[in-house]
Amino acid sequence: MRHAFGFVLGVLLTPGLVYGAAWGYVQAGQSFDGTGQEITDRTRIYGAFALLAAVGLVMGVIIVARWASPLVSLVPALALLGFSAWFLIDPDGVLDLPGKVPPSGDMDFGLRMLLGSGVYGMMGLALLMPAWAPRRWGSGRDEDAADMDFYSTVQR
């Protein structure tokens, strides 16, 4: 049951991470003038940085949470790494995909830029790491019981 819930949560988190990072990137880029080296819209850049920080926080929680099924991180990791590999094999094919999936406009630019710059590959590798930990695949109940026995023995 834990892994089924983890799979569903991973499927739901994948577009959230992808679109959250892309939208934050676009909003930050539109509020900063690189040639003039100045922030043109402080409210927009604060919101963009807050969203990017939230995406990073969600990724961090997924990576370090011992209670989470490894499928919570494995599903988005495989999706991100799959799209990154597809980009390296057939860039035109994968770069046409954002135009076919809503929402369109500035979001397409963000999706293409993060994919082409390797950011999605980096996110995918970071999310892949928890799947390699054997303790994440177990139920964790035996480990918790052993910890409780140890602590009760130490307190005596």
Side-chain angles (χ1 to χ4, degrees):
M1 187 63 179
R2 178 174 158 256
H3 295 307
F5 178 70
F7 178 79
V8 171
L9 188 58
V11 168
L12 294 175
L13 281 175
T14 301
L17 294 174
V18 168
Y19 281 107
W23 190 82
Y25 173 81
V26 167
Q27 295 304 313
Q30 290 177 349
S31 61
F32 177 75
D33 180 19
T35 57
Q37 297 181 354
E38 65 179 330
I39 296 173
T40 56
D41 186 351
R42 289 203 177 274
T43 305
R44 181 182 281 184
I45 202 162
Y46 291 154
F49 274 46
L51 179 62
L52 291 170
V55 168
L57 177 67
V58 168
M59 282 183 53
V61 167
I62 291 170
I63 290 170
V64 301
R66 292 182 67 184
W67 52 264
S69 166
L71 292 177
V72 175
S73 65
L74 187 62
V75 171
L78 292 178
L80 291 166
L81 290 173
F83 279 118
S84 297
W86 186 11
F87 173 76
L88 293 174
I89 294 168
D90 181 23
D92 293 334
V94 75
L95 291 176
D96 287 340
L97 189 61
K100 298 175 183 175
V101 178
S104 60
D106 290 339
M107 184 68 76
D108 292 348
F109 176 73
L111 292 169
R112 289 181 180 115
M113 288 303 296
L114 292 180
L115 182 62
S117 63
V119 172
Y120 286 150
M122 178 184 65
M123 289 170 61
L125 282 175
L127 289 168
L128 186 64
M129 293 301 118
W132 289 349
R135 66 184 160 98
R136 295 279 297 261
W137 288 98
S139 67
R141 291 183 185 148
D142 296 334
E143 199 172 287
D144 291 340
D147 288 344
M148 292 303 285
D149 289 341
F150 173 75
Y151 291 124
S152 64
T153 305
V154 170
Q155 290 178 354
R156 286 185 200 166

